[in-house]
Amino acid sequence: MNSVITQTLLPAALAVVMAGLGLSLTAADFRRVARHPKVVTVSLLLQLVLLPAVCFGITYALGLSPVLATGMMLLAASPGGTVANVFSHLFHGDVALNVTLTAINSVIAVVTVPAVVEFALWHFQPDLGEDGMGLQFTKLIQVFAVVLIPVALGMLVRRSKPDFAERLDRPVRLVSTVVLALVVLVAVFSERVHLGGYFASVGLAALVFCLVSLAVGFWVPRALGVRHRQAVAAAFEIGAHNATLAMTLAMTTLGSVRLAIPAAVYAMIMIPVTAAFGWALTCREDDLATAAPSPAEGAN
């Protein structure tokens, strides 16, 4: 039964989620890069270069096992998920920028995810037994099929039948929520005997990685002169990794439930931590607004 879920249902469900992402994207989302080149460039460099390096350092600093370290690197390579858009909306970020970053990351992930995972498999040499395998060429094609093709099809539907795409938006978002819960439950149930040990082993790493991702995603753009709303959007896009994608690729493409454990633990940690971070940013924004002099006061 588990093999049916991991090899058939999960890839199909994830394809639906990625198609739903495509339904929300238009060519204008990609063209918007030209209007915000600084924040897009900074965000992509942070997500694609800095965060995998940070994650690599965390795995060494906390002494993670090769399997958990490889799972953490898979998580670090995964782009931001649609949950980033929700958090950005709730905490006054630039949601349009989130959509743009998600669109670009969905394309780039086809190359970056296999590259980072292949490096992690080569470096950490995790013992996956008969349950896991490396990323052969056929597996790279599967990553392409699961990530990019559904997004492209969704965008095509949005372009040719915008009304139909709008009607599908709400049910697809519901499916996305169900899929995340399903993937987490499958990973947790499959490794339920060892879950306490896994959480003890990788929980701190997932928490530190989540906090660093959020902090770097906000403060680095701010330090480079990016506006507050755009920095908030960047923080959520960089900090809220697509745990669903990471877990599904681990259990299907890589054939190992154990590689999905870090992403499963991260998914349970990320929601409350990201919500608390967003609340802190909102409080800070309110404090800055209160401290700023009114136009009349500035004229005196």
Side-chain angles (χ1 to χ4, degrees):
M1 179 63 181
N2 280 347
S3 62
V4 174
I5 293 175
T6 58
Q7 298 300 321
T8 305
L9 296 182
L10 286 185
L14 184 61
V16 171
V17 173
M18 299 307 291
L21 172 62
L23 289 172
S24 66
L25 301 177
T26 66
D29 297 321
F30 293 91
R31 291 195 297 267
R32 197 180 293 117
V33 174
R35 297 203 296 272
H36 307 293
K38 178 191 287 188
V39 66
V40 171
T41 301
V42 170
S43 298
L44 290 177
L45 286 175
L46 291 175
Q47 188 158 17
L48 300 177
V49 179
L50 181 62
L51 286 189
V54 167
C55 185
F56 187 77
I58 291 173
T59 64
Y60 267 99
L62 297 180
L64 295 189
S65 69
V67 172
L68 296 180
T70 303
M72 283 295 299
M73 293 299 291
L74 171 59
L75 173 67
S78 300
T82 54
V83 68
N85 301 359
V86 176
F87 278 118
S88 190
H89 173 72
L90 290 175
F91 297 109
H92 311 146
D94 187 339
V95 180
L97 176 60
N98 281 105
V99 173
T100 296
L101 291 172
T102 300
I104 297 171
N105 274 326
S106 299
V107 176
I108 297 178
V110 176
V111 176
T112 57
V113 171
V116 172
V117 172
E118 194 64 58
F119 166 77
L121 290 170
W122 168 80
H123 179 82
F124 293 112
Q125 296 289 313
D127 181 13
L128 303 178
E130 297 179 356
D131 195 38
M133 61 196 74
L135 272 178
Q136 299 93 5
F137 178 75
T138 55
K139 300 300 177 181
L140 298 180
I141 298 299
Q142 287 184 27
V143 175
F144 176 85
V146 169
V147 176
L148 189 57
I149 292 178
V151 172
L153 291 175
M155 291 185 66
L156 182 63
V157 172
R158 172 67 180 265
R159 181 178 179 180
S160 59
K161 297 182 178 181
D163 293 338
F164 179 64
E166 289 291 336
R167 290 196 300 272
L168 283 179
D169 182 65
R170 185 172 181 178
V172 169
R173 288 179 186 272
L174 178 61
V175 169
S176 300
T177 303
V178 172
V179 166
L180 175 58
L182 174 63
V183 176
V184 174
L185 287 174
V186 169
V188 169
F189 181 78
S190 298
E191 294 291 312
R192 59 193 180 280
V193 175
H194 308 289
L195 185 61
Y198 282 138
F199 206 98
S201 300
V202 80
L204 180 58
L207 175 62
V208 171
F209 182 63
C210 183
L211 289 171
V212 170
S213 299
L214 290 166
V216 165
F218 179 77
W219 288 110
V220 171
R222 286 295 287 160
L224 295 175
V226 171
R227 290 180 300 166
H228 179 86
R229 289 186 67 243
Q230 293 183 328
V232 171
F236 291 132
E237 191 69 31
I238 292 169
H241 292 268
N242 194 335
T244 307
L245 177 62
M247 284 184 281
T248 303
L249 291 178
M251 290 187 285
T252 59
T253 304
L254 290 165
S256 172
V257 174
R258 288 185 294 157
L259 284 181
I261 292 300
V265 172
Y266 170 86
M268 291 184 278
I269 291 174
M270 180 263 293
I271 298 296
V273 169
T274 304
F277 185 84
W279 176 79
L281 289 182
T282 302
C283 291
R284 179 178 183 275
E285 183 182 20
D286 292 340
D287 290 342
L288 292 176
T290 302
S294 65
E297 292 172 336
N300 293 333

